[in-house]
DNA sequence: AATGCGTGGGC
DNA sequence: TGCCCAAGCAT
């Protein structure tokens, strides 16, 4: 049967060519699997690696994470993006700590009740963390399945996605499920590339639909993408006594939980600079999100001004290393750490 | 059901 | 440079 050829070949390939020695591999630990799976969502391995190592060093098990200061968790995640993942990770750790006595649930139903754990992450936890049968469906799996079996359903629609899940269920073996699961991800990442699939070294080549019909580049069906809007933003950073005033994002979903300057949208409106003493430190810094692009200007503002009531906390240069900052704010932080007199202009002007 | 949510790397 | 993509999930 074709599905047996598929899984057998992958398992055999994995023993010889699969990725080994990644920081989250080599243990049977639902916790490590969980953290790695969350961290790797929509992220590449090389990017997540250093974050994972530091995270596990700080929070080696569910209990330490559950008892951690949320501020520290956000700081350790800062720079990785998709910050809801970090908030949910912390929240789920608390639930496992308080309601499950620090023991991970080992059923799909219980796992997906935890915030941030969906069907695929739950499947990975079962497969890697418990060595049980678990089914996953991520970008790699979709690409390999669509090419090998010739699946033209659109995974971005519910019905298409459902079909992919059915296929993934059908081909996932019970025996050596963890090896198979790692194999299909690894072959997707290292052989069945999006743009340059290495079909000549692929163990699935002889029975691959896409290879037979030379349609690798048409599979899987791509999502239509809208061009992201460009917005102009003004970052206002009040400075006083060598400290900067920051606000914690809570109304906007972008960067929620992180510390930011006062952010003003100047795409259409105009900001009145006439009554403040300021210094323009960044102009047109481009920051690209998935769904929008920001052109950022940043000014340091030296009080007195009427911005004080918008500030949630004042931080000195060193304290900025201890809190969660989004990427552009990390850039700004490095600027003012490097050019320290920026924060002491107050002394000259008062 | 379609959209929102970060960031870095490859070409 | 701009565009595509990468171990998804929540709403």
């Amino acid at each position: 049967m074709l599905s047996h050829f598929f899984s057998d070949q992958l398992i055999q390939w994995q023993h010889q060519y699969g990725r080994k020695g990644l920081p989250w591999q080599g243990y049977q630990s639902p916790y490590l699997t969980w953290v790695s799976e969350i961290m790797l969502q929509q992220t590449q391995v090389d990017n997540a690696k250093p974050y994972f190592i530091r995270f596990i060093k700080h929070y080696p098990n569910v209990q330490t994470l559950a008892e951690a200061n949320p501020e520290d968790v956000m700081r350790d995640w800062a720079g990785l993006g998709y910050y809801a993942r970090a908030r949910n990770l912390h929240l789920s750790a608390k639930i496992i700590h308080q309601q499950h006595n620090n023991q991970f649930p080992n059923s799909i139903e219980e796992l997906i009740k935890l915030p941030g754990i969906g069907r695929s992450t739950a499947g990975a936890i079962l497969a890697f963390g418990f060595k049980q049968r678990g089914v996953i469906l991520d970008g790699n799996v979709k690409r390999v399945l669509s090419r090998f079996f010739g699946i033209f359903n659109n995974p971005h629609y519910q019905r298409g996605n459902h079909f992919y899940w059915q296929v993934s269920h059908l081909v996932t073996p019970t025996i050596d499920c963890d090896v198979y699961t790692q194999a299909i991800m690894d072959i997707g990442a290292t052989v069945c590339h999006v743009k340059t699939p290495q079909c000549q070294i692929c163990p699935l080549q002889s029975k691959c639909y896409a290879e037979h019909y030379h349609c690798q580049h048409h599979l899987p069906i791509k999502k239509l993408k809208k061009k992201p809007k460009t917005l102009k933003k003004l970052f206002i950073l009040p400075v006083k006594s060598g400290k900067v005033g920051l606000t914690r994002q809570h109304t906007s979903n972008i960067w929620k939980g992180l510390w930011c300057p006062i952010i003003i949208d100047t795409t259409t409106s105009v900001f009145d600079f006439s009554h403040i003493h300021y210094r323009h430190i960044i102009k047109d810094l481009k920051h690209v999100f998935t769904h929008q692009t920001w052109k950022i200007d940043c000014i340091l503002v030296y009080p007195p001004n009427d911005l004080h009531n918008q500030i949630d906390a004042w931080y000195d240069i060193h304290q900025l290393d201890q809190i969660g900052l989004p990427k552009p704010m990390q850039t700004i932080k490095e600027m003012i750490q490097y050019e320290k007199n920026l924060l002491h202009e107050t002394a000259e002007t008062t």
Side-chain angles (χ1 to χ4, degrees):
Chain A
M1 230 173 99
L2 198 55
S3 69
H4 290 160
F5 169 84
F6 184 77
S7 55
D8 289 348
Q9 286 296 101
L10 281 176
I11 288 169
Q12 203 178 345
W13 176 88
Q14 181 66 16
H15 290 304
Q16 196 173 355
Y17 301 105
R19 289 183 292 190
K20 298 170 187 82
L22 293 171
W24 44 86
Q25 293 179 325
Y27 312 91
Q28 186 179 327
S29 160
Y31 176 70
L32 295 184
T33 301
W34 174 50
V35 173
S36 70
E37 286 298 322
I38 301 297
M39 211 167 258
L40 288 159
Q41 284 171 13
Q42 307 298 97
T43 307
Q44 275 150 349
V45 165
D46 285 344
N47 194 24
K49 241 191 232 174
Y51 285 89
F52 178 85
I53 292 168
R54 183 178 60 176
F55 201 91
I56 293 304
K57 195 172 160 190
H58 290 179
Y59 320 107
N61 51 49
V62 192
Q63 183 164 349
T64 46
L65 180 57
E67 293 171 345
N69 177 354
E71 202 68 69
D72 293 339
V73 175
M74 294 313 287
R75 177 206 58 208
D76 290 339
W77 201 274
L80 254 187
Y82 288 136
Y83 297 97
R85 293 183 295 169
R87 300 194 302 269
N88 284 332
L89 199 66
H90 196 197
L91 183 55
S92 286
K94 289 181 176 177
I95 295 172
I96 294 166
H97 176 50
Q98 290 164 8
Q99 298 178 19
H100 299 271
N101 193 28
N102 292 324
Q103 300 302 307
F104 259 81
N106 68 340
S107 71
I108 196 98
E109 295 78 14
E110 287 298 315
L111 283 167
I112 59 177
K113 282 183 190 167
L114 295 165
I117 297 183
R119 216 169 147 186
S120 189
T121 302
I125 293 173
L126 289 181
F128 300 129
F130 289 104
K131 307 287 185 197
Q132 297 177 7
R133 185 167 183 273
V135 180
I136 68 162
L137 184 64
D138 59 26
N140 285 318
V141 176
K142 283 178 204 164
R143 191 166 58 259
V144 175
L145 290 179
S146 71
R147 286 175 174 171
F148 183 80
F149 291 104
I151 301 171
F152 287 83
N153 303 50
N154 189 332
H156 305 103
Y157 296 126
Q158 195 179 31
R159 292 167 87 176
N161 197 246
H162 179 70
F163 186 74
Y164 271 92
W165 269 109
Q166 285 186 311
V167 176
S168 189
H169 267 279
L170 282 173
V171 300
T172 300
T174 304
I175 295 169
D176 285 339
C177 177
D178 58 328
V179 181
Y180 161 82
T181 302
Q182 191 63 54
I184 193 169
M185 290 194 293
D186 285 4
I187 208 155
T190 65
V191 175
C192 197
H193 294 298
V194 179
K195 292 190 178 164
T196 53
Q198 307 293 110
C199 301
Q200 69 285 358
I201 61 165
C202 180
L204 303 171
Q205 183 189 22
S206 65
K207 297 190 177 179
C208 176
Y209 177 97
E211 165 72 0
H212 186 78
Y213 290 101
H214 305 295
C215 57
Q216 291 92 329
H217 295 284
H218 299 287
L219 291 173
I221 300 294
K222 289 189 181 66
K223 182 176 187 164
L224 302 102
K225 274 187 185 162
K226 285 191 286 187
K227 194 183 172 185
K229 276 188 290 188
T230 296
L231 303 174
K232 281 186 72 65
K233 300 282 177 174
L234 179 64
F235 283 16
I236 300 176
L237 209 52
V239 176
K240 187 179 68 175
S241 314
K243 296 190 173 190
V244 294
L246 295 180
T247 69
R248 188 203 279 283
Q249 288 295 99
H250 54 279
T251 50
S252 125
N253 286 324
I254 291 178
W255 300 335
K256 186 147 91 182
L258 298 189
W259 290 91
C260 296
I262 297 166
I263 301 175
I264 295 185
D265 190 297
T266 51
T267 311
T268 51
S269 67
V270 178
F271 180 76
D272 180 10
F273 289 89
S274 61
H275 295 93
I276 56 169
H277 176 212
Y278 68 95
R279 177 157 173 179
H280 210 143
I281 59 165
I282 285 178
K283 189 153 179 55
D284 277 341
L285 175 66
K286 190 170 160 184
H287 188 80
V288 180
F289 297 93
T290 305
H291 57 300
Q292 51 187 268
T293 300
W294 287 10
K295 286 279 188 69
I296 299 168
D297 276 27
C298 180
I299 59 173
L300 299 184
V301 174
Y302 306 96
N305 60 65
D306 56 359
L307 301 169
H308 279 80
N309 53 4
Q310 296 186 47
I311 302 302
D312 293 317
W314 294 85
Y315 291 105
D316 69 33
I317 286 183
H318 304 296
Q319 290 173 313
L320 290 179
D321 293 325
Q322 295 159 26
I323 57 175
L325 305 174
K327 208 66 191 175
M329 186 56 216
Q330 288 184 27
T331 304
I332 294 165
K333 182 198 79 172
E334 281 158 23
M335 268 183 84
I336 59 185
Q337 284 181 335
Y338 181 74
E339 209 173 325
K340 295 192 173 69
N341 60 346
L342 285 176
L343 298 192
H344 292 289
E345 190 163 333
T346 349
E348 300 163 22
T349 58
T350 49

